[in-house]
Amino acid sequence: MTQRHLVGARILAQGLVGSARSGARARRGTESAATGGTPAATGGTPAPVEVARSFAAHQGQDLPGVIASLALRSGGAVEPVLAAFDRGEIVRGYPMRGTVFAVAADSLAWMTELCVAGPLRAAIARRGALDLDERRVERAREVLVAAAEPVSAPGVGRGLLRSEVMAVWEAAGIATGSGRGYHLLAELISFGDIAYGPWREQETAVVHAPTWLPAGSDLEGTFGGDRDAAAAELALRYLTSHGPAGERDLAWWSKLPLGTVRPAIAQVAERLESGFADRDGRLHARPEDARGGDGERLWFRPGLAEEYADAEKDTMKELLLPGFDELVLGYPDRLALIAEGHHPALAPGNNGVFKRAALRRGEIVGTWTRTGSAGKRRLVLEELGTISDPQRRRFQNLFARFPYTAA
């Protein structure tokens, strides 16, 4: 059974409805070490970098998808998102879970230092299977840094395309076939040597991270090396943008142990509200009132419950989302928004590839794609339940406005 009211509150928190995009707005005006202690102005539609920062990270291996996710939460247009990448405000990296995320540039370094240890150990353990060792990785680092640094001036440099990176390595005698080049890129990003920066030829180009990222944005510069403070900031961002969510959601999402997550939440508890979800996902202050729920305490930004009471109708409207959107992938249990029997249609083979989701009333009612040539695109909607003609027309209207990076 789906929990449409829990999903509706998350839709509101994530800024997918509401003219002010309330999720990012709630993080504005919040002073923190990670944002230099300078509150942003309140009100209006948030800039893409504010959305990126407020979420901590957006899953980003589907590049057009994460650009659309950021656009949907910041006014609906692609161009401001691409401009934010070009200005060096947003980057992609491997801060956690061994996968790519889009992150505010002033957060990538400290977040990676906080969360990357486990995935980096796993990456190093795979070297042998790729005929890589410490000497080869160090040589690849030297060659790439020498090539990337001159084209990584913040907000000006255009970086290197991945094909150019591979060519530079091959010219230096570093083999990139059989997955070695991809592995080297991911490992060097995890080490903080490089990052994916400006938008260039339908990809984010590779830049020298210490040059491109803001000075002093690592764990030492941002938090004085205090990992507990960094974990608390990560918890605040996740629960503010993704909540209602629990400690186990945050632990799964960040891959930080519960022994780190629990005290992190405790540090920021006074800046959050909490409650318990019943079987339909409605929030209650006391667990005994949340009938049919699991009894887990959920954390969320202040005022969200009251805002949801006013905005419930808006959150139940149709939505079209990219395949790897945080509303779907930001939590370990997706059965809050899709019936268990329909989950294989969303993630065929359960192999980590997700189709784009069509939602109505807080539930995934179909998957979607587009077909046709440029200028003649049409929506292909695969129904998981009955979709009426008026509902289909509303999905068509959303499709016509969807923020694609290419026509």
Side-chain angles (χ1 to χ4, degrees), residues 13-24:
Q14 290 209 12
L16 286 165
V17 298
S19 60
R21 301 298 184 222
S22 50

Side-chain angles (χ1 to χ4, degrees), residues 159-369:
L160 298 170
L161 300 176
R162 276 173 291 181
S163 61
E164 293 171 338
V165 171
M166 301 304 161
V168 166
W169 275 337
E170 290 286 351
I174 300 167
T176 61
S178 302
R180 283 186 291 271
Y182 177 83
H183 177 95
L184 285 168
L185 270 175
E187 192 171 319
L188 294 178
I189 292 173
S190 298
F191 272 118
D193 295 294
I194 57 173
Y196 290 121
W199 180 253
R200 183 181 160 202
E201 298 184 28
Q202 301 297 307
E203 65 179 84
T204 47
V206 173
V207 290
H208 180 235
T211 302
W212 186 262
L213 301 181
S217 60
D218 59 1
L219 191 64
E220 180 62 34
T222 307
F223 299 100
D226 186 341
R227 296 180 63 86
D228 293 339
E233 175 66 20
L234 187 68
L236 182 63
R237 295 190 190 190
Y238 175 82
L239 296 171
T240 297
S241 61
H242 290 70
E247 60 182 25
R248 294 182 185 278
D249 295 318
L250 174 56
W252 172 86
W253 183 81
S254 66
K255 291 299 181 281
L256 292 174
L258 282 170
T260 298
V261 165
R262 284 171 177 153
I265 294 176
Q267 283 193 55
V268 297
E270 292 184 353
R271 300 163 70 180
L272 298 165
E273 293 179 0
S274 67
F276 304 85
D278 63 21
R279 67 167 57 87
D280 295 320
R282 288 196 182 276
L283 296 170
H284 303 268
R286 302 185 307 170
E288 55 266 31
D289 295 331
R291 295 180 179 179
D294 60 10
E296 181 182 10
R297 182 179 294 277
L298 304 178
W299 300 89
F300 43 91
R301 62 174 175 80
L304 178 65
E306 292 78 10
E307 289 179 34
Y308 177 67
D310 294 334
E312 177 183 333
K313 184 176 180 180
D314 287 339
T315 68
M316 295 294 109
K317 292 180 180 179
E318 289 81 3
L319 281 174
L320 289 181
L321 296 178
F324 290 81
D325 193 84
E326 282 294 307
L327 185 66
V328 178
L329 268 68
Y331 316 88
D333 182 7
R334 285 177 288 277
L335 299 185
L337 79 171
I338 188 169
E340 186 171 5
H342 292 157
H343 190 269
L346 177 68
N350 200 28
N351 62 359
V353 176
F354 290 82
K355 291 189 175 182
R356 300 164 178 154
L359 281 79
R360 180 179 179 273
R361 293 183 62 78
E363 182 176 358
I364 294 176
V365 295
T367 62
W368 69 278
T369 186

Side-chain angles (χ1 to χ4, degrees), residues 29-32 35-40:
T30 299
E31 296 187 13
S32 69
T35 56
T38 303

